[in-house]
Amino acid sequence: MMTIRDTTFELLRKLNITTIFGNPGSTEETFLQDFPSDFRYVQVLQEASAVAAADAYAQATQSVGLVNVHTAAGMCNAMSNIFTASMNKTPLIITAGNQTREMLLMEPWLTNTHPEELPKPFVKWSYEPKRAEDVPAAFMRAYAMAIQEPAGPVFLSIPLDDWNQEFTGELVVRSVAHKVAADPERLKQFADKLSQAKNPVLIYGADISKHDGWKEAIALAEKMQVPVWAAPASERTPFPENHPLYAGGLPFATQPLSEKLQGHDVALIIGAPVFRYYPYVAGDYLPEGLALLHITNDPAEAARAPVGDSLISNPVLALSSLIEMVTVPENRQQPAIHKLPHHMAPHAVAENTQTTDTVLTALDVFKTVRKAVPENAILMEESPSNIAELHTAWPVTFHDGFYTAASGSLGWNVPAAVGIALAERDNGKNRPVVAMIGDGSLQYAIQGMWTANQQRLPIIYIVPVNREYAILKAFSECQDTPNVPGLDIPDLDIVSLAKGYGCIGKRAETTDQLFNFCLEALKQNRPTVIEVPISKVIPSLI
């Protein structure tokens, strides 16, 4: 007899989904019983961390990720990183159990009473099958929904007694296209406007990197010979930061962003929303005389853009067509070649560092780590108060060399590093993964370090310690809100916390110590967490 569980695992095999990230609960055990030997279960100690690890793994492998969490309680835990996966546009199937169908009417303990509503609005589709025999087909639909553009997470709730029921139907496996091509007439209009512009500019977003489009992005910029900005708050690097046409990252705020685009008559933004703003700084969305063209794979992004003309398309397909369609007038003025380095951070390195003879600056730390690790190391970031220092020290020069959370929500990068490192092991590249995590950010998903150790992943976690939420102090200054409580976090022992989860824990107080600890970490078969005290800085926000 083929059960619902047997049939579902066979479907997952045919879809090449054989890694499951999860934190098991009582309502999930009927799904996980007699776990197939050709599947891999990656145990994570908290549901949000399971979603983050699966998210990063799916991004790095360019596949659909699968997460299994506990019923209503586990879904509530997972929501912060379901939100992030939605903004990351990561194809994920998130599953949770529910109580037995016979008891659902009376809402027993641990029932998800509104399973299809709970994860909204951060999933593309949410469903609890009406019959047990519908479960495999629901997984097939979930896969199709997750992978089609714009990709994103979907959710299935499965009552725990469904899995052992007999499956008497036919297993149907379908393939679906997951790239959206542009309207050719509309794309020609965009190409003509770019060709006729006197001083155009390109703004590239993270979706270019997610779809492996650096080659096309570079080709269009070099054909047009125009400057390239990274869209605000790009979670992936959209263009090589050592390219002479790279201008840096646009600011997060309305007025400063508009000022950066002064003098241009046409701007094309592709693979990003128009625009990510935070904090609010009043001003015009665009400088006078600038026409904005917007290409996105997400109709919702196109709809909510406050300015500009939009086109729905996969960014790389659109770039490939524009390379052929755009012409360059002989009399077009050549762009100023920007002096390197430029970086994605929208502001310069902070000048108000409280330096001492015994405490390193954030810039010291990041320069030292960059020097110690190989050129092909993958950088991850969740240290918002010193992103300018990080990107100054570590220019990203390959398309999958940088990851962070599109949402700005903390608690993604520690477990996400597990997903990236697992993908590196699976694809045989085995590039080092270096995660820069602030001492405050680390606490949001610290249990992810346990999974990194259990999987024997040689991740290097660098923890700059300033014992405060410096980014919140920056917002306090920007918003003129003095005397906010709770912005200091003393008495955290990062080394002891790391050792408690089975990782190697080190404390570096000099650049020599830090450099040598990084070299040692590269030789390990488990994660290393390096705590580094740094000078206190209140960063600029714009």
Side-chain angles (χ1 to χ4, degrees), residues 206-230:
D207 284 352
I208 291 173
S209 182
K210 293 173 187 175
H211 294 272
D212 199 9
W214 267 31
K215 180 180 71 173
E216 292 80 2
I218 293 168
L220 180 62
E222 291 182 346
K223 179 175 183 178
M224 296 179 64
Q225 280 297 298
V226 297
V228 175
W229 289 95

Side-chain angles (χ1 to χ4, degrees), residues 241-524:
E241 296 189 324
N242 59 348
H243 194 286
L245 292 173
Y246 183 64
L250 284 174
F252 291 29
T254 308
Q255 180 183 350
L257 188 154
S258 179
E259 290 172 353
K260 291 289 187 182
L261 300 178
Q262 284 280 0
H264 295 288
D265 57 343
V266 176
L268 171 66
I269 175 170
I270 182 165
V274 178
F275 287 104
R276 284 182 182 153
Y277 294 124
Y278 198 58
Y280 175 69
V281 179
D284 295 328
Y285 289 114
L286 300 173
E288 185 176 355
L290 177 65
L292 183 69
L293 308 176
H294 180 212
I295 299 178
T296 173
N297 61 11
D298 186 352
E301 280 185 356
R304 68 174 178 262
V307 290
D309 299 323
S310 293
L311 168 65
I312 306 300
S313 175
N314 174 277
V316 181
L317 293 181
L319 283 168
S320 298
S321 297
L322 288 172
I323 292 165
E324 301 300 323
M325 298 168 70
V326 168
T327 60
V328 182
E330 292 183 3
N331 61 350
R332 175 178 288 170
Q333 67 184 65
Q334 293 296 305
I337 301 300
H338 297 270
K339 292 182 179 180
L340 296 176
H342 284 279
H343 51 74
M344 285 203 301
H347 51 269
V349 171
E351 296 180 356
N352 59 333
T353 303
Q354 300 173 19
T355 56
T356 72
D357 293 336
T358 58
V359 181
L360 301 177
T361 67
L363 188 59
D364 293 331
V365 171
F366 300 141
K367 284 182 175 180
T368 301
V369 177
R370 171 70 282 192
K371 189 186 303 182
V373 301
E375 284 298 314
N376 67 350
I378 296 171
L379 173 65
M380 304 185 70
E381 177 271 316
E382 195 173 283
S383 188
S385 62
N386 44 50
I387 57 173
E389 289 79 3
L390 177 58
H391 287 292
T392 296
W394 194 312
V396 179
T397 57
F398 49 98
H399 91 274
D400 57 351
F402 175 74
Y403 293 81
T404 191
S407 64
S409 176
L410 301 179
W412 187 80
N413 277 261
V414 172
V418 172
I420 300 296
L422 276 175
E424 285 296 303
R425 178 185 291 172
D426 289 353
N427 65 29
K429 294 180 181 179
N430 293 306
R431 293 174 294 177
V433 176
V434 181
M436 305 292 191
I437 312 287
D439 55 339
S441 300
L442 182 70
Q443 311 311 315
Y444 285 76
I446 194 168
Q447 69 285 128
M449 295 193 304
W450 180 87
T451 304
N453 181 54
Q454 294 299 308
Q455 295 293 325
R456 284 298 188 258
L457 298 171
I459 301 165
I460 304 176
Y461 292 105
I462 303 294
V463 186
V465 174
N466 55 14
R467 304 197 184 283
E468 63 183 0
Y469 294 125
I471 192 66
L472 295 182
K473 292 185 177 181
F475 275 104
S476 181
E477 288 189 359
C478 180
Q479 297 166 163
D480 193 22
T481 53
N483 303 318
V484 175
L487 302 189
D488 294 300
I489 45 172
D491 303 325
L492 289 172
D493 185 345
I494 305 301
V495 172
S496 294
L497 290 170
K499 291 180 178 179
Y501 283 107
C503 301
I504 298 169
K506 299 285 187 179
R507 178 183 173 91
E509 297 183 347
T510 68
T511 55
D512 286 344
Q513 286 179 337
L514 178 58
F515 185 87
N516 289 328
F517 289 159
C518 288
L519 294 183
E520 292 175 14
L522 292 169
K523 302 173 185 177
Q524 302 297 328

